[in-house]
Amino acid sequence: MKRLIAILLIMTIATNFAQEQAQDTVLQNEQKMQWFKDAKLGIFIHWGLYSVNGIDESWSFYNGYISHENYLKQTKGFTAKKYDPQAWADLIKRSGAKYSVITAKHHEGFALWDTKFGDFNAVKGSAAKKDVLTPFVSELRKNNLKVGIYYSLPDWSYHDYTHFTRDSIRYKISDEPKRWNKFLNYYQGQLKELSDNYNPDLYWFDGDWEHNSEEWEVHQVRQMLFDKNPNTILNSRLREQGDYATPEQGMPITRPKNKFWELCLTMNDSWGFQKNDHNYKTTDQIIGIFADVIGNGGNMLLDIGPKGDGSIRRSRWPYWKVWDDGPTSTKRQSMEPDPDSQRTFLRTYYFIQRREHSLFVC
């Protein structure tokens, strides 16, 4: 009998301890996600080789609209000669956004920073011949804006990655496991660089559909990033092993199950710069979507696409403020809005106030 009582006592203590640990984990996660929950608005930046000719980012060669060889010729036009990271950060802050996410590397594998893993980057492999990620991150920090890094898990240009185009696969992991391990070292090495050099507040992964969790070594990647910064936030595109959901291009029919979520949205039909895409959403459309998102507890990540020279087309900039009293002006003439762009975006004077159970837009 005494033995039974002792066993029951031990089991009770263990259960209580497990429950306390679970409660602590939930509390820690709530604290980690607080800034994200409060942010409401972020700015997404798609900038890469595709910005030169104004074509679909990475997908253009993957889907066969252009050859891979011709796609890579855009490195000669990626000059970043008009790139002004201070102006970018200033305008993001003026917009009322609290964080920004930039495509450090899209699916084609072109890196914006001076990575030690290969030469396919802005420093060694483009006309810019400079690191364009570091100065932008620095300016975000100076403006007290949270730093988000977009990183594509696939790398369709890397010779030891499995997939190349829609109709071409280089190899199967089961046939060449050593080759796959070489790629794992490559992509995880790049992630460690991003972690060590920039310590992002948020990682925005993409492309996880091409392999399963075990093949990507998701657990190992998560642990590596959390070892550096336990408070960093991961989106869900790491085989659903992230902190928040990421629907895109339209308000979900039903609210995402995840307590934390973010709608990423283009202003026209394109993520990157495309000179012929003038199909911009109206002021009312963007305000309506934004109101729906906030009313359902989410954030909106609104996208812009700079050109290959680093300039931002006027009609691509969300020239408005969310928590302030409407549009503001800037001393930088090259980025001032004209009447046409003002008709496109949120030039309307408005306040948005979030309450526990209500949303007011006026």
Side-chain angles (χ1 to χ4, degrees), residues 12 16 69 79 86 93 108 112 115 135 137 145 166 189 194 213 236 249 255 267 304 312 325 348 361:
T12 300
N16 290 338
E69 180 182 2
T79 63
Q86 181 181 349
K93 189 175 183 67
E108 94 278 69
L112 298 186
T115 177
V137 171
L145 295 166
R166 182 178 294 278
L194 292 172
S213 179
S236 61
Q249 291 295 58
R255 178 174 175 166
M267 294 185 199
I304 61 172
I312 299 176
D325 56 355
T348 310
V361 179

mmCIF file of all heavy atoms in Angstrom, residues 12 16 69 79 86 93 108 112 115 135 137 145 166 189 194 213 236 249 255 267 304 312 325 348 361:
data_model
loop_
_atom_site.group_PDB
_atom_site.id
_atom_site.type_symbol
_atom_site.label_atom_id
_atom_site.label_comp_id
_atom_site.label_asym_id
_atom_site.label_seq_id
_atom_site.Cartn_x
_atom_site.Cartn_y
_atom_site.Cartn_z
ATOM 1 N N THR A 12 1.589 12.328 -9.451
ATOM 2 C CA THR A 12 0.914 13.621 -9.274
ATOM 3 C C THR A 12 1.894 14.776 -9.398
ATOM 4 O O THR A 12 1.621 15.778 -10.064
ATOM 5 C CB THR A 12 0.229 13.674 -7.895
ATOM 6 O OG1 THR A 12 -0.736 12.616 -7.804
ATOM 7 C CG2 THR A 12 -0.469 15.015 -7.705
ATOM 8 N N ASN A 16 1.848 17.655 -12.325
ATOM 9 C CA ASN A 16 1.799 19.080 -11.988
ATOM 10 C C ASN A 16 2.990 19.833 -12.588
ATOM 11 O O ASN A 16 2.847 20.957 -13.074
ATOM 12 C CB ASN A 16 1.782 19.272 -10.474
ATOM 13 C CG ASN A 16 0.464 18.830 -9.850
ATOM 14 O OD1 ASN A 16 -0.561 18.764 -10.535
ATOM 15 N ND2 ASN A 16 0.490 18.510 -8.558
ATOM 16 N N GLU A 69 19.634 30.612 -68.379
ATOM 17 C CA GLU A 69 20.784 31.390 -68.844
ATOM 18 C C GLU A 69 20.415 32.864 -69.023
ATOM 19 O O GLU A 69 21.152 33.761 -68.584
ATOM 20 C CB GLU A 69 21.297 30.817 -70.164
ATOM 21 C CG GLU A 69 22.495 31.556 -70.733
ATOM 22 C CD GLU A 69 22.955 30.982 -72.062
ATOM 23 O OE1 GLU A 69 22.311 30.031 -72.563
ATOM 24 O OE2 GLU A 69 23.957 31.493 -72.618
ATOM 25 N N THR A 79 22.236 46.924 -60.543
ATOM 26 C CA THR A 79 23.276 47.900 -60.215
ATOM 27 C C THR A 79 23.126 48.511 -58.818
ATOM 28 O O THR A 79 24.112 48.902 -58.211
ATOM 29 C CB THR A 79 23.249 49.053 -61.223
ATOM 30 O OG1 THR A 79 21.986 49.748 -61.119
ATOM 31 C CG2 THR A 79 23.423 48.534 -62.649
ATOM 32 N N GLN A 86 18.521 54.364 -46.330
ATOM 33 C CA GLN A 86 18.012 55.325 -45.353
ATOM 34 C C GLN A 86 16.634 55.827 -45.769
ATOM 35 O O GLN A 86 15.719 55.944 -44.945
ATOM 36 C CB GLN A 86 18.975 56.504 -45.222
ATOM 37 C CG GLN A 86 18.528 57.546 -44.194
ATOM 38 C CD GLN A 86 19.481 58.715 -44.094
ATOM 39 O OE1 GLN A 86 20.585 58.682 -44.639
ATOM 40 N NE2 GLN A 86 19.065 59.759 -43.398
ATOM 41 N N LYS A 93 8.943 53.753 -41.967
ATOM 42 C CA LYS A 93 8.545 54.296 -40.671
ATOM 43 C C LYS A 93 7.389 55.282 -40.836
ATOM 44 O O LYS A 93 6.433 55.283 -40.048
ATOM 45 C CB LYS A 93 9.739 54.983 -40.004
ATOM 46 C CG LYS A 93 9.487 55.397 -38.554
ATOM 47 C CD LYS A 93 10.740 55.961 -37.926
ATOM 48 C CE LYS A 93 10.517 56.304 -36.454
ATOM 49 N NZ LYS A 93 10.295 55.096 -35.629
ATOM 50 N N GLU A 108 15.520 31.510 -56.762
ATOM 51 C CA GLU A 108 16.609 31.341 -57.734
ATOM 52 C C GLU A 108 17.977 31.324 -57.072
ATOM 53 O O GLU A 108 18.968 30.981 -57.690
ATOM 54 C CB GLU A 108 16.524 32.410 -58.821
ATOM 55 C CG GLU A 108 17.343 33.668 -58.608
ATOM 56 C CD GLU A 108 16.667 34.682 -57.700
ATOM 57 O OE1 GLU A 108 16.549 34.391 -56.498
ATOM 58 O OE2 GLU A 108 16.295 35.759 -58.180
ATOM 59 N N LEU A 112 21.338 38.721 -51.350
ATOM 60 C CA LEU A 112 21.583 40.164 -51.275
ATOM 61 C C LEU A 112 22.766 40.516 -50.378
ATOM 62 O O LEU A 112 23.218 41.660 -50.381
ATOM 63 C CB LEU A 112 20.329 40.894 -50.762
ATOM 64 C CG LEU A 112 19.068 40.803 -51.614
ATOM 65 C CD1 LEU A 112 17.976 41.698 -51.028
ATOM 66 C CD2 LEU A 112 19.339 41.172 -53.070
ATOM 67 N N THR A 115 27.490 36.517 -48.802
ATOM 68 C CA THR A 115 27.575 35.178 -48.227
ATOM 69 C C THR A 115 28.888 34.499 -48.600
ATOM 70 O O THR A 115 29.417 34.697 -49.700
ATOM 71 C CB THR A 115 26.389 34.313 -48.679
ATOM 72 O OG1 THR A 115 26.534 32.980 -48.162
ATOM 73 C CG2 THR A 115 26.273 34.252 -50.201
ATOM 74 N N PRO A 135 23.173 47.325 -45.061
ATOM 75 C CA PRO A 135 22.793 48.720 -44.782
ATOM 76 C C PRO A 135 21.300 48.891 -44.534
ATOM 77 O O PRO A 135 20.904 49.751 -43.739
ATOM 78 C CB PRO A 135 23.256 49.472 -46.033
ATOM 79 C CG PRO A 135 23.430 48.443 -47.082
ATOM 80 C CD PRO A 135 23.822 47.192 -46.377
ATOM 81 N N VAL A 137 19.226 46.622 -43.132
ATOM 82 C CA VAL A 137 18.983 46.129 -41.777
ATOM 83 C C VAL A 137 19.419 47.168 -40.760
ATOM 84 O O VAL A 137 18.721 47.430 -39.766
ATOM 85 C CB VAL A 137 19.700 44.783 -41.539
ATOM 86 C CG1 VAL A 137 19.624 44.388 -40.060
ATOM 87 C CG2 VAL A 137 19.098 43.694 -42.405
ATOM 88 N N LEU A 145 12.594 49.771 -36.064
ATOM 89 C CA LEU A 145 11.695 48.888 -36.806
ATOM 90 C C LEU A 145 12.202 47.455 -36.691
ATOM 91 O O LEU A 145 13.408 47.213 -36.723
ATOM 92 C CB LEU A 145 11.639 49.304 -38.278
ATOM 93 C CG LEU A 145 11.041 50.680 -38.557
ATOM 94 C CD1 LEU A 145 11.344 51.113 -39.996
ATOM 95 C CD2 LEU A 145 9.543 50.670 -38.316
ATOM 96 N N ARG A 166 10.379 23.220 -63.508
ATOM 97 C CA ARG A 166 9.166 22.407 -63.360
ATOM 98 C C ARG A 166 9.322 21.040 -64.016
ATOM 99 O O ARG A 166 8.780 20.043 -63.532
ATOM 100 C CB ARG A 166 7.979 23.168 -63.974
ATOM 101 C CG ARG A 166 6.645 22.435 -63.842
ATOM 102 C CD ARG A 166 5.519 23.259 -64.412
ATOM 103 N NE ARG A 166 5.307 24.476 -63.635
ATOM 104 C CZ ARG A 166 4.596 24.526 -62.508
ATOM 105 N NH1 ARG A 166 4.056 23.420 -62.026
ATOM 106 N NH2 ARG A 166 4.445 25.656 -61.877
ATOM 107 N N GLY A 189 24.194 26.769 -43.661
ATOM 108 C CA GLY A 189 25.315 27.679 -43.470
ATOM 109 C C GLY A 189 24.907 29.116 -43.751
ATOM 110 O O GLY A 189 25.298 30.047 -43.028
ATOM 111 N N LEU A 194 22.990 34.561 -41.618
ATOM 112 C CA LEU A 194 21.933 35.543 -41.384
ATOM 113 C C LEU A 194 21.659 35.697 -39.900
ATOM 114 O O LEU A 194 21.449 36.805 -39.401
ATOM 115 C CB LEU A 194 20.661 35.121 -42.120
ATOM 116 C CG LEU A 194 20.727 35.161 -43.649
ATOM 117 C CD1 LEU A 194 19.476 34.530 -44.256
ATOM 118 C CD2 LEU A 194 20.896 36.588 -44.146
ATOM 119 N N SER A 213 9.614 17.607 -43.648
ATOM 120 C CA SER A 213 10.279 18.162 -42.477
ATOM 121 C C SER A 213 11.613 17.482 -42.192
ATOM 122 O O SER A 213 12.599 18.144 -41.855
ATOM 123 C CB SER A 213 9.362 18.034 -41.251
ATOM 124 O OG SER A 213 9.984 18.540 -40.101
ATOM 125 N N SER A 236 5.042 30.203 -40.708
ATOM 126 C CA SER A 236 4.591 28.809 -40.749
ATOM 127 C C SER A 236 5.161 28.012 -41.916
ATOM 128 O O SER A 236 4.950 26.798 -41.999
ATOM 129 C CB SER A 236 3.056 28.766 -40.828
ATOM 130 O OG SER A 236 2.607 29.412 -42.017
ATOM 131 N N GLN A 249 -2.503 37.125 -50.612
ATOM 132 C CA GLN A 249 -3.255 37.655 -51.747
ATOM 133 C C GLN A 249 -4.775 37.648 -51.589
ATOM 134 O O GLN A 249 -5.495 37.635 -52.585
ATOM 135 C CB GLN A 249 -2.876 36.915 -53.035
ATOM 136 C CG GLN A 249 -1.463 37.179 -53.527
ATOM 137 C CD GLN A 249 -1.250 38.625 -53.946
ATOM 138 O OE1 GLN A 249 -1.448 39.538 -53.151
ATOM 139 N NE2 GLN A 249 -0.850 38.825 -55.188
ATOM 140 N N ARG A 255 -11.236 32.768 -40.474
ATOM 141 C CA ARG A 255 -10.051 33.202 -39.754
ATOM 142 C C ARG A 255 -9.093 32.029 -39.544
ATOM 143 O O ARG A 255 -9.518 30.923 -39.185
ATOM 144 C CB ARG A 255 -10.465 33.776 -38.397
ATOM 145 C CG ARG A 255 -9.311 34.211 -37.529
ATOM 146 C CD ARG A 255 -9.799 34.905 -36.280
ATOM 147 N NE ARG A 255 -8.710 35.221 -35.367
ATOM 148 C CZ ARG A 255 -8.799 36.050 -34.344
ATOM 149 N NH1 ARG A 255 -9.939 36.671 -34.099
ATOM 150 N NH2 ARG A 255 -7.763 36.285 -33.564
ATOM 151 N N MET A 267 0.188 45.207 -54.074
ATOM 152 C CA MET A 267 -0.654 46.353 -54.408
ATOM 153 C C MET A 267 -1.272 46.215 -55.797
ATOM 154 O O MET A 267 -2.364 46.711 -56.049
ATOM 155 C CB MET A 267 0.162 47.635 -54.334
ATOM 156 C CG MET A 267 0.624 47.960 -52.939
ATOM 157 S SD MET A 267 1.432 49.548 -52.935
ATOM 158 C CE MET A 267 2.339 49.393 -51.415
ATOM 159 N N ILE A 304 6.022 45.934 -51.711
ATOM 160 C CA ILE A 304 6.527 46.841 -52.732
ATOM 161 C C ILE A 304 7.669 46.144 -53.458
ATOM 162 O O ILE A 304 8.317 45.249 -52.917
ATOM 163 C CB ILE A 304 7.021 48.183 -52.156
ATOM 164 C CG1 ILE A 304 8.171 47.960 -51.171
ATOM 165 C CG2 ILE A 304 5.883 48.949 -51.508
ATOM 166 C CD1 ILE A 304 8.822 49.251 -50.710
ATOM 167 N N ILE A 312 12.372 53.220 -56.169
ATOM 168 C CA ILE A 312 11.011 52.722 -55.958
ATOM 169 C C ILE A 312 10.054 53.552 -56.802
ATOM 170 O O ILE A 312 9.995 54.776 -56.642
ATOM 171 C CB ILE A 312 10.612 52.812 -54.477
ATOM 172 C CG1 ILE A 312 11.549 51.953 -53.628
ATOM 173 C CG2 ILE A 312 9.173 52.353 -54.277
ATOM 174 C CD1 ILE A 312 11.301 52.063 -52.141
ATOM 175 N N ASP A 325 -2.261 60.871 -38.333
ATOM 176 C CA ASP A 325 -3.421 61.576 -38.862
ATOM 177 C C ASP A 325 -3.393 61.710 -40.370
ATOM 178 O O ASP A 325 -3.709 62.756 -40.930
ATOM 179 C CB ASP A 325 -3.515 62.965 -38.230
ATOM 180 C CG ASP A 325 -2.233 63.769 -38.439
ATOM 181 O OD1 ASP A 325 -1.263 63.213 -38.991
ATOM 182 O OD2 ASP A 325 -2.224 64.939 -38.051
ATOM 183 N N THR A 348 -6.492 58.811 -47.922
ATOM 184 C CA THR A 348 -7.604 59.242 -47.096
ATOM 185 C C THR A 348 -7.162 59.484 -45.656
ATOM 186 O O THR A 348 -6.384 58.727 -45.100
ATOM 187 C CB THR A 348 -8.699 58.154 -47.085
ATOM 188 O OG1 THR A 348 -8.965 57.781 -48.433
ATOM 189 C CG2 THR A 348 -9.976 58.674 -46.457
ATOM 190 N N VAL A 361 -13.176 52.488 -38.111
ATOM 191 C CA VAL A 361 -12.489 53.098 -39.229
ATOM 192 C C VAL A 361 -13.299 54.317 -39.624
ATOM 193 O O VAL A 361 -14.500 54.227 -39.863
ATOM 194 C CB VAL A 361 -12.382 52.131 -40.429
ATOM 195 C CG1 VAL A 361 -11.669 52.824 -41.575
ATOM 196 C CG2 VAL A 361 -11.654 50.866 -40.023
#
